[in-house]
Amino acid sequence: MKWVYPDIPGDDVLEYSKQFRLSYLYTSILLNRNIRSKEALERYFDKGSHSLYDPFSMLDMDKAVTVILDACTERKKILIYGDYDVDGVTAASILYLFLRKCNESVYYYIPEREKEGYGVSLEGIDHAIEQDIDLIITCDCGVTAHNEIAYARQHGIDVIVTDHHEQTDGLPDALAILNPKRHEDTYPFRELCGAGVVFKLVEAICLRRDGSAEKAVQYLDLVAIGTAADIVPLVDENRCLVREGLARIRRQECRMGILELFNVCQMDTEDITVINIVFGLAPRLNAVGRMGSASRAITLLTTEDRHTARQYSIILNQENEERQKVERTVTREAILQVKEKYGEDLPNALVLSGDWHPGVIGIVSSKIKDMLNRPVFLIAVKEGLGKGSGRSIDDFDLHAALSACSGHLSGFGGHQMAAGLTVEEANIPDFEAAFLAYAEANIRPDMLEPGIHVDADVEIEEINTSMMEFLKDMEPFGPENMRPKFSVRGVSPHNAAILKEKHLKFSVKKGGISLNCIAWNMLRFFELVMDPSQQVDMVFVPTLNEWNGVKRIQLVIKDIRPHIV
């Protein structure tokens, strides 16, 4: 892979190093994350606050709080309308748990992925009409639901939208729309997820009602899970919310369902990280929405009964196992289609379609994107209608691409790195042609080269306990605050061994210092590390590995190449 280093002048690093009173290495890491003032530095490392910004600075917040408090006082019937992914489920759970304490007539609704698709549906509105609902509050959806919200208003149902997706043409006719990405909104931070927006709403209600937001803090466990799972930038307010939420989970000050789900995953809450959520909890919470009804995830996250929590944790785990089987099948078929359709001459982007389960196409498109380093859309076709999910590469805006191709689509939504669409089966070829033409015009050849972003080149003696302590203070890691990767050059590999026929374990030495290394799924590099007489360069992530109660630094290898003098 191409090793990509930050383009930051050394003089800048020296200047900020003096201001920050930090070493050249640590300063360069912070500058890579655009931390360029003492105020930004203090905010980055501040572990005291759970929220940075006044919730009432979000457009329509005052109006939304007034409507909701009046509805609770008058015991109106409120329907929390969520979405079937982790962000939508956690957002709906937060609002349901909170409002139920104010008003017993609060209910929730999660659309069926296969029957209704993403977002607010006419079927969901019909359900609200049948239940004599007075007020619908959407979670993680609604900013593009013009027709559906108009339909609800025609039937006497008020609607408040809470969402974080990009606004397209105009806004729906809702009483209030809470979305930091509204074109005219001046909220200081645009990148909240759906659960984050709902948390700000709960915060605002607490401030109006109690004069303090303290009661909102109890929901930060759910905010952390929703934020981590939705892969939004883990910077600024998101980073504060996730950090506090993870701390609550570590102290087991969290939902019973979360604790039981950790038991099913065989993970310890004390060691929870964003990675644990993304690869442990999130797939299980997502699975029930992919394979059936996501309302089961809300049951898990809102129950106070341990037996129910344990029962639904087992259900989620079983659904995830079934999802994995379906995913493997779709992945094989998608890879085969790539070979048959494009051969060796791959275009700048890929559009694949088939009679696939719509619940796994997002995961598979992400896998194909990672394999081929191209934007990918997978479209599941049923009864003449295609539902697509896409994933993008760095510097290619998927939402902008869909906007340019919108004439061929029935609908679309999302953001730069991930998006969804609906398209008539007959229009798929025209959409593919338009999408590939847009990609051809907007993707440079260098964007298609697989690369790895490296924070800094280090000497082996710099990989020490001081570095590990600094990295610990940088947590939680996630998009735009990724765990730093480093390169080290001219080290000698020793004691190479193969684990489970696909992983490598070895140590590296230089200048009397030796460090252990693990290289997952890198059997192809065995010849490079089996000979101690040759030197290698490596990109790695430093971690702490505990064995028999002793913690040692271990390098998780990301790439290896021969050292050239």
PDB file of all heavy atoms in Angstrom, residues 54-64 161 167 171 175-180 182-188 197:
ATOM      1  N   ASP A  54     -25.047  24.599  24.041  1.00  0.00           N
ATOM      2  CA  ASP A  54     -26.403  24.846  24.508  1.00  0.00           C
ATOM      3  C   ASP A  54     -27.394  24.216  23.541  1.00  0.00           C
ATOM      4  O   ASP A  54     -27.416  24.569  22.354  1.00  0.00           O
ATOM      5  CB  ASP A  54     -26.625  26.358  24.582  1.00  0.00           C
ATOM      6  CG  ASP A  54     -28.052  26.724  24.983  1.00  0.00           C
ATOM      7  OD1 ASP A  54     -28.825  25.826  25.351  1.00  0.00           O
ATOM      8  OD2 ASP A  54     -28.381  27.931  24.917  1.00  0.00           O
ATOM      9  N   PRO A  55     -28.233  23.282  23.993  1.00  0.00           N
ATOM     10  CA  PRO A  55     -29.176  22.636  23.066  1.00  0.00           C
ATOM     11  C   PRO A  55     -30.144  23.624  22.428  1.00  0.00           C
ATOM     12  O   PRO A  55     -30.624  23.393  21.310  1.00  0.00           O
ATOM     13  CB  PRO A  55     -29.897  21.619  23.951  1.00  0.00           C
ATOM     14  CG  PRO A  55     -29.703  22.087  25.349  1.00  0.00           C
ATOM     15  CD  PRO A  55     -28.373  22.770  25.359  1.00  0.00           C
ATOM     16  N   PHE A  56     -30.423  24.734  23.120  1.00  0.00           N
ATOM     17  CA  PHE A  56     -31.370  25.709  22.573  1.00  0.00           C
ATOM     18  C   PHE A  56     -30.769  26.533  21.438  1.00  0.00           C
ATOM     19  O   PHE A  56     -31.474  27.322  20.804  1.00  0.00           O
ATOM     20  CB  PHE A  56     -31.889  26.630  23.684  1.00  0.00           C
ATOM     21  CG  PHE A  56     -32.887  25.947  24.583  1.00  0.00           C
ATOM     22  CD1 PHE A  56     -32.500  25.482  25.828  1.00  0.00           C
ATOM     23  CD2 PHE A  56     -34.201  25.753  24.175  1.00  0.00           C
ATOM     24  CE1 PHE A  56     -33.413  24.840  26.658  1.00  0.00           C
ATOM     25  CE2 PHE A  56     -35.116  25.115  24.995  1.00  0.00           C
ATOM     26  CZ  PHE A  56     -34.729  24.656  26.238  1.00  0.00           C
ATOM     27  N   SER A  57     -29.477  26.340  21.168  1.00  0.00           N
ATOM     28  CA  SER A  57     -28.888  27.013  20.007  1.00  0.00           C
ATOM     29  C   SER A  57     -29.202  26.281  18.707  1.00  0.00           C
ATOM     30  O   SER A  57     -28.893  26.776  17.625  1.00  0.00           O
ATOM     31  CB  SER A  57     -27.373  27.155  20.178  1.00  0.00           C
ATOM     32  OG  SER A  57     -26.749  25.888  20.235  1.00  0.00           O
ATOM     33  N   MET A  58     -29.827  25.095  18.810  1.00  0.00           N
ATOM     34  CA  MET A  58     -30.262  24.381  17.618  1.00  0.00           C
ATOM     35  C   MET A  58     -31.607  24.940  17.159  1.00  0.00           C
ATOM     36  O   MET A  58     -32.513  25.133  17.967  1.00  0.00           O
ATOM     37  CB  MET A  58     -30.377  22.873  17.896  1.00  0.00           C
ATOM     38  CG  MET A  58     -30.585  22.022  16.646  1.00  0.00           C
ATOM     39  SD  MET A  58     -30.655  20.245  17.008  1.00  0.00           S
ATOM     40  CE  MET A  58     -28.997  19.944  17.632  1.00  0.00           C
ATOM     41  N   LEU A  59     -31.727  25.183  15.889  1.00  0.00           N
ATOM     42  CA  LEU A  59     -32.942  25.766  15.327  1.00  0.00           C
ATOM     43  C   LEU A  59     -34.165  24.911  15.673  1.00  0.00           C
ATOM     44  O   LEU A  59     -34.111  23.682  15.600  1.00  0.00           O
ATOM     45  CB  LEU A  59     -32.793  25.881  13.811  1.00  0.00           C
ATOM     46  CG  LEU A  59     -33.648  26.919  13.095  1.00  0.00           C
ATOM     47  CD1 LEU A  59     -33.322  28.322  13.604  1.00  0.00           C
ATOM     48  CD2 LEU A  59     -33.385  26.848  11.588  1.00  0.00           C
ATOM     49  N   ASP A  60     -35.237  25.545  16.065  1.00  0.00           N
ATOM     50  CA  ASP A  60     -36.536  24.923  16.393  1.00  0.00           C
ATOM     51  C   ASP A  60     -36.549  24.202  17.738  1.00  0.00           C
ATOM     52  O   ASP A  60     -37.570  23.607  18.102  1.00  0.00           O
ATOM     53  CB  ASP A  60     -36.997  23.934  15.308  1.00  0.00           C
ATOM     54  CG  ASP A  60     -37.645  24.625  14.119  1.00  0.00           C
ATOM     55  OD1 ASP A  60     -37.759  25.854  14.142  1.00  0.00           O
ATOM     56  OD2 ASP A  60     -38.034  23.918  13.162  1.00  0.00           O
ATOM     57  N   MET A  61     -35.452  24.232  18.490  1.00  0.00           N
ATOM     58  CA  MET A  61     -35.431  23.495  19.756  1.00  0.00           C
ATOM     59  C   MET A  61     -36.453  24.060  20.741  1.00  0.00           C
ATOM     60  O   MET A  61     -37.183  23.299  21.398  1.00  0.00           O
ATOM     61  CB  MET A  61     -34.029  23.533  20.373  1.00  0.00           C
ATOM     62  CG  MET A  61     -33.906  22.720  21.652  1.00  0.00           C
ATOM     63  SD  MET A  61     -34.161  20.936  21.393  1.00  0.00           S
ATOM     64  CE  MET A  61     -32.548  20.474  20.732  1.00  0.00           C
ATOM     65  N   ASP A  62     -36.525  25.376  20.843  1.00  0.00           N
ATOM     66  CA  ASP A  62     -37.468  25.991  21.780  1.00  0.00           C
ATOM     67  C   ASP A  62     -38.903  25.574  21.443  1.00  0.00           C
ATOM     68  O   ASP A  62     -39.687  25.219  22.323  1.00  0.00           O
ATOM     69  CB  ASP A  62     -37.325  27.509  21.732  1.00  0.00           C
ATOM     70  CG  ASP A  62     -38.137  28.195  22.810  1.00  0.00           C
ATOM     71  OD1 ASP A  62     -37.700  28.167  23.972  1.00  0.00           O
ATOM     72  OD2 ASP A  62     -39.211  28.733  22.491  1.00  0.00           O
ATOM     73  N   LYS A  63     -39.230  25.591  20.151  1.00  0.00           N
ATOM     74  CA  LYS A  63     -40.572  25.217  19.704  1.00  0.00           C
ATOM     75  C   LYS A  63     -40.849  23.738  20.009  1.00  0.00           C
ATOM     76  O   LYS A  63     -41.931  23.380  20.500  1.00  0.00           O
ATOM     77  CB  LYS A  63     -40.704  25.471  18.211  1.00  0.00           C
ATOM     78  CG  LYS A  63     -42.107  25.325  17.655  1.00  0.00           C
ATOM     79  CD  LYS A  63     -42.119  25.396  16.124  1.00  0.00           C
ATOM     80  CE  LYS A  63     -41.479  26.671  15.620  1.00  0.00           C
ATOM     81  NZ  LYS A  63     -41.545  26.737  14.120  1.00  0.00           N
ATOM     82  N   ALA A  64     -39.876  22.862  19.727  1.00  0.00           N
ATOM     83  CA  ALA A  64     -40.056  21.425  19.957  1.00  0.00           C
ATOM     84  C   ALA A  64     -40.280  21.132  21.435  1.00  0.00           C
ATOM     85  O   ALA A  64     -41.160  20.336  21.799  1.00  0.00           O
ATOM     86  CB  ALA A  64     -38.849  20.657  19.447  1.00  0.00           C
ATOM     87  N   VAL A 161     -39.683  16.519  13.779  1.00  0.00           N
ATOM     88  CA  VAL A 161     -38.609  15.727  13.169  1.00  0.00           C
ATOM     89  C   VAL A 161     -37.321  15.911  13.960  1.00  0.00           C
ATOM     90  O   VAL A 161     -36.924  17.042  14.261  1.00  0.00           O
ATOM     91  CB  VAL A 161     -38.383  16.156  11.703  1.00  0.00           C
ATOM     92  CG1 VAL A 161     -37.111  15.514  11.142  1.00  0.00           C
ATOM     93  CG2 VAL A 161     -39.586  15.793  10.844  1.00  0.00           C
ATOM     94  N   GLN A 167     -30.133  17.681   4.315  1.00  0.00           N
ATOM     95  CA  GLN A 167     -31.344  18.268   3.737  1.00  0.00           C
ATOM     96  C   GLN A 167     -31.193  18.314   2.222  1.00  0.00           C
ATOM     97  O   GLN A 167     -30.140  18.660   1.706  1.00  0.00           O
ATOM     98  CB  GLN A 167     -31.539  19.682   4.286  1.00  0.00           C
ATOM     99  CG  GLN A 167     -32.697  20.438   3.676  1.00  0.00           C
ATOM    100  CD  GLN A 167     -32.745  21.893   4.131  1.00  0.00           C
ATOM    101  OE1 GLN A 167     -32.145  22.248   5.142  1.00  0.00           O
ATOM    102  NE2 GLN A 167     -33.437  22.724   3.388  1.00  0.00           N
ATOM    103  N   LEU A 171     -37.841  21.669   3.149  1.00  0.00           N
ATOM    104  CA  LEU A 171     -38.080  20.915   4.374  1.00  0.00           C
ATOM    105  C   LEU A 171     -39.548  20.501   4.435  1.00  0.00           C
ATOM    106  O   LEU A 171     -40.418  21.209   3.914  1.00  0.00           O
ATOM    107  CB  LEU A 171     -37.731  21.758   5.605  1.00  0.00           C
ATOM    108  CG  LEU A 171     -36.246  22.070   5.815  1.00  0.00           C
ATOM    109  CD1 LEU A 171     -36.086  23.123   6.896  1.00  0.00           C
ATOM    110  CD2 LEU A 171     -35.471  20.806   6.177  1.00  0.00           C
ATOM    111  N   LEU A 175     -44.007  20.632  12.610  1.00  0.00           N
ATOM    112  CA  LEU A 175     -44.059  21.710  13.603  1.00  0.00           C
ATOM    113  C   LEU A 175     -42.664  22.199  13.957  1.00  0.00           C
ATOM    114  O   LEU A 175     -42.452  23.397  14.178  1.00  0.00           O
ATOM    115  CB  LEU A 175     -44.768  21.228  14.877  1.00  0.00           C
ATOM    116  CG  LEU A 175     -46.281  21.028  14.833  1.00  0.00           C
ATOM    117  CD1 LEU A 175     -46.774  20.611  16.206  1.00  0.00           C
ATOM    118  CD2 LEU A 175     -46.980  22.294  14.381  1.00  0.00           C
ATOM    119  N   ALA A 176     -41.735  21.278  14.052  1.00  0.00           N
ATOM    120  CA  ALA A 176     -40.344  21.619  14.368  1.00  0.00           C
ATOM    121  C   ALA A 176     -39.438  20.585  13.724  1.00  0.00           C
ATOM    122  O   ALA A 176     -39.807  19.409  13.626  1.00  0.00           O
ATOM    123  CB  ALA A 176     -40.122  21.649  15.880  1.00  0.00           C
ATOM    124  N   ILE A 177     -38.275  21.031  13.282  1.00  0.00           N
ATOM    125  CA  ILE A 177     -37.298  20.127  12.666  1.00  0.00           C
ATOM    126  C   ILE A 177     -35.954  20.365  13.345  1.00  0.00           C
ATOM    127  O   ILE A 177     -35.340  21.428  13.202  1.00  0.00           O
ATOM    128  CB  ILE A 177     -37.178  20.368  11.156  1.00  0.00           C
ATOM    129  CG1 ILE A 177     -38.524  20.099  10.469  1.00  0.00           C
ATOM    130  CG2 ILE A 177     -36.079  19.483  10.556  1.00  0.00           C
ATOM    131  CD1 ILE A 177     -38.535  20.415   8.989  1.00  0.00           C
ATOM    132  N   LEU A 178     -35.524  19.370  14.116  1.00  0.00           N
ATOM    133  CA  LEU A 178     -34.230  19.438  14.799  1.00  0.00           C
ATOM    134  C   LEU A 178     -33.216  18.668  13.977  1.00  0.00           C
ATOM    135  O   LEU A 178     -33.274  17.437  13.888  1.00  0.00           O
ATOM    136  CB  LEU A 178     -34.335  18.839  16.205  1.00  0.00           C
ATOM    137  CG  LEU A 178     -35.409  19.424  17.126  1.00  0.00           C
ATOM    138  CD1 LEU A 178     -35.377  18.726  18.477  1.00  0.00           C
ATOM    139  CD2 LEU A 178     -35.229  20.916  17.298  1.00  0.00           C
ATOM    140  N   ASN A 179     -32.318  19.391  13.349  1.00  0.00           N
ATOM    141  CA  ASN A 179     -31.293  18.765  12.515  1.00  0.00           C
ATOM    142  C   ASN A 179     -30.158  19.774  12.332  1.00  0.00           C
ATOM    143  O   ASN A 179     -30.332  20.799  11.675  1.00  0.00           O
ATOM    144  CB  ASN A 179     -31.880  18.379  11.155  1.00  0.00           C
ATOM    145  CG  ASN A 179     -30.874  17.620  10.287  1.00  0.00           C
ATOM    146  OD1 ASN A 179     -29.673  17.663  10.539  1.00  0.00           O
ATOM    147  ND2 ASN A 179     -31.365  16.938   9.278  1.00  0.00           N
ATOM    148  N   PRO A 180     -28.995  19.505  12.924  1.00  0.00           N
ATOM    149  CA  PRO A 180     -27.888  20.465  12.816  1.00  0.00           C
ATOM    150  C   PRO A 180     -27.390  20.658  11.391  1.00  0.00           C
ATOM    151  O   PRO A 180     -26.615  21.582  11.133  1.00  0.00           O
ATOM    152  CB  PRO A 180     -26.802  19.854  13.714  1.00  0.00           C
ATOM    153  CG  PRO A 180     -27.145  18.401  13.803  1.00  0.00           C
ATOM    154  CD  PRO A 180     -28.638  18.317  13.716  1.00  0.00           C
ATOM    155  N   ARG A 182     -29.468  21.278   8.878  1.00  0.00           N
ATOM    156  CA  ARG A 182     -30.356  22.184   8.153  1.00  0.00           C
ATOM    157  C   ARG A 182     -29.536  23.331   7.578  1.00  0.00           C
ATOM    158  O   ARG A 182     -28.616  23.837   8.234  1.00  0.00           O
ATOM    159  CB  ARG A 182     -31.438  22.733   9.081  1.00  0.00           C
ATOM    160  CG  ARG A 182     -32.553  21.771   9.376  1.00  0.00           C
ATOM    161  CD  ARG A 182     -33.566  22.370  10.332  1.00  0.00           C
ATOM    162  NE  ARG A 182     -34.230  23.564   9.788  1.00  0.00           N
ATOM    163  CZ  ARG A 182     -35.246  24.172  10.391  1.00  0.00           C
ATOM    164  NH1 ARG A 182     -35.717  23.704  11.542  1.00  0.00           N
ATOM    165  NH2 ARG A 182     -35.793  25.244   9.846  1.00  0.00           N
ATOM    166  N   HIS A 183     -29.877  23.753   6.381  1.00  0.00           N
ATOM    167  CA  HIS A 183     -29.067  24.759   5.697  1.00  0.00           C
ATOM    168  C   HIS A 183     -28.914  26.041   6.507  1.00  0.00           C
ATOM    169  O   HIS A 183     -27.854  26.656   6.515  1.00  0.00           O
ATOM    170  CB  HIS A 183     -29.681  25.078   4.332  1.00  0.00           C
ATOM    171  CG  HIS A 183     -29.647  23.913   3.392  1.00  0.00           C
ATOM    172  ND1 HIS A 183     -30.372  23.863   2.226  1.00  0.00           N
ATOM    173  CD2 HIS A 183     -28.958  22.734   3.445  1.00  0.00           C
ATOM    174  CE1 HIS A 183     -30.146  22.724   1.614  1.00  0.00           C
ATOM    175  NE2 HIS A 183     -29.296  22.023   2.323  1.00  0.00           N
ATOM    176  N   GLU A 184     -29.984  26.440   7.203  1.00  0.00           N
ATOM    177  CA  GLU A 184     -29.943  27.715   7.917  1.00  0.00           C
ATOM    178  C   GLU A 184     -29.584  27.563   9.390  1.00  0.00           C
ATOM    179  O   GLU A 184     -29.519  28.561  10.120  1.00  0.00           O
ATOM    180  CB  GLU A 184     -31.295  28.448   7.789  1.00  0.00           C
ATOM    181  CG  GLU A 184     -32.461  27.763   8.481  1.00  0.00           C
ATOM    182  CD  GLU A 184     -33.165  26.729   7.631  1.00  0.00           C
ATOM    183  OE1 GLU A 184     -32.501  26.079   6.797  1.00  0.00           O
ATOM    184  OE2 GLU A 184     -34.385  26.563   7.807  1.00  0.00           O
ATOM    185  N   ASP A 185     -29.331  26.338   9.846  1.00  0.00           N
ATOM    186  CA  ASP A 185     -29.032  26.139  11.266  1.00  0.00           C
ATOM    187  C   ASP A 185     -27.616  26.600  11.576  1.00  0.00           C
ATOM    188  O   ASP A 185     -26.689  26.371  10.800  1.00  0.00           O
ATOM    189  CB  ASP A 185     -29.199  24.669  11.651  1.00  0.00           C
ATOM    190  CG  ASP A 185     -29.497  24.473  13.128  1.00  0.00           C
ATOM    191  OD1 ASP A 185     -28.993  25.267  13.940  1.00  0.00           O
ATOM    192  OD2 ASP A 185     -30.257  23.553  13.461  1.00  0.00           O
ATOM    193  N   THR A 186     -27.451  27.233  12.720  1.00  0.00           N
ATOM    194  CA  THR A 186     -26.129  27.709  13.141  1.00  0.00           C
ATOM    195  C   THR A 186     -25.620  26.967  14.376  1.00  0.00           C
ATOM    196  O   THR A 186     -24.728  27.460  15.072  1.00  0.00           O
ATOM    197  CB  THR A 186     -26.175  29.227  13.435  1.00  0.00           C
ATOM    198  OG1 THR A 186     -27.156  29.486  14.453  1.00  0.00           O
ATOM    199  CG2 THR A 186     -26.511  30.009  12.184  1.00  0.00           C
ATOM    200  N   TYR A 187     -26.193  25.801  14.659  1.00  0.00           N
ATOM    201  CA  TYR A 187     -25.709  25.010  15.791  1.00  0.00           C
ATOM    202  C   TYR A 187     -24.215  24.770  15.605  1.00  0.00           C
ATOM    203  O   TYR A 187     -23.761  24.462  14.492  1.00  0.00           O
ATOM    204  CB  TYR A 187     -26.483  23.698  15.881  1.00  0.00           C
ATOM    205  CG  TYR A 187     -26.175  22.895  17.123  1.00  0.00           C
ATOM    206  CD1 TYR A 187     -26.675  23.289  18.360  1.00  0.00           C
ATOM    207  CD2 TYR A 187     -25.362  21.767  17.063  1.00  0.00           C
ATOM    208  CE1 TYR A 187     -26.380  22.575  19.504  1.00  0.00           C
ATOM    209  CE2 TYR A 187     -25.064  21.045  18.206  1.00  0.00           C
ATOM    210  CZ  TYR A 187     -25.575  21.452  19.427  1.00  0.00           C
ATOM    211  OH  TYR A 187     -25.277  20.746  20.569  1.00  0.00           O
ATOM    212  N   PRO A 188     -23.405  24.883  16.663  1.00  0.00           N
ATOM    213  CA  PRO A 188     -21.941  24.875  16.503  1.00  0.00           C
ATOM    214  C   PRO A 188     -21.349  23.582  15.973  1.00  0.00           C
ATOM    215  O   PRO A 188     -20.204  23.576  15.513  1.00  0.00           O
ATOM    216  CB  PRO A 188     -21.442  25.139  17.935  1.00  0.00           C
ATOM    217  CG  PRO A 188     -22.585  25.773  18.638  1.00  0.00           C
ATOM    218  CD  PRO A 188     -23.819  25.188  18.039  1.00  0.00           C
ATOM    219  N   VAL A 197     -28.786  13.958  18.445  1.00  0.00           N
ATOM    220  CA  VAL A 197     -29.809  14.995  18.311  1.00  0.00           C
ATOM    221  C   VAL A 197     -30.906  14.785  19.344  1.00  0.00           C
ATOM    222  O   VAL A 197     -31.370  15.734  20.003  1.00  0.00           O
ATOM    223  CB  VAL A 197     -30.394  15.008  16.886  1.00  0.00           C
ATOM    224  CG1 VAL A 197     -31.552  16.005  16.785  1.00  0.00           C
ATOM    225  CG2 VAL A 197     -29.311  15.362  15.863  1.00  0.00           C
TER     226      VAL A 197
END
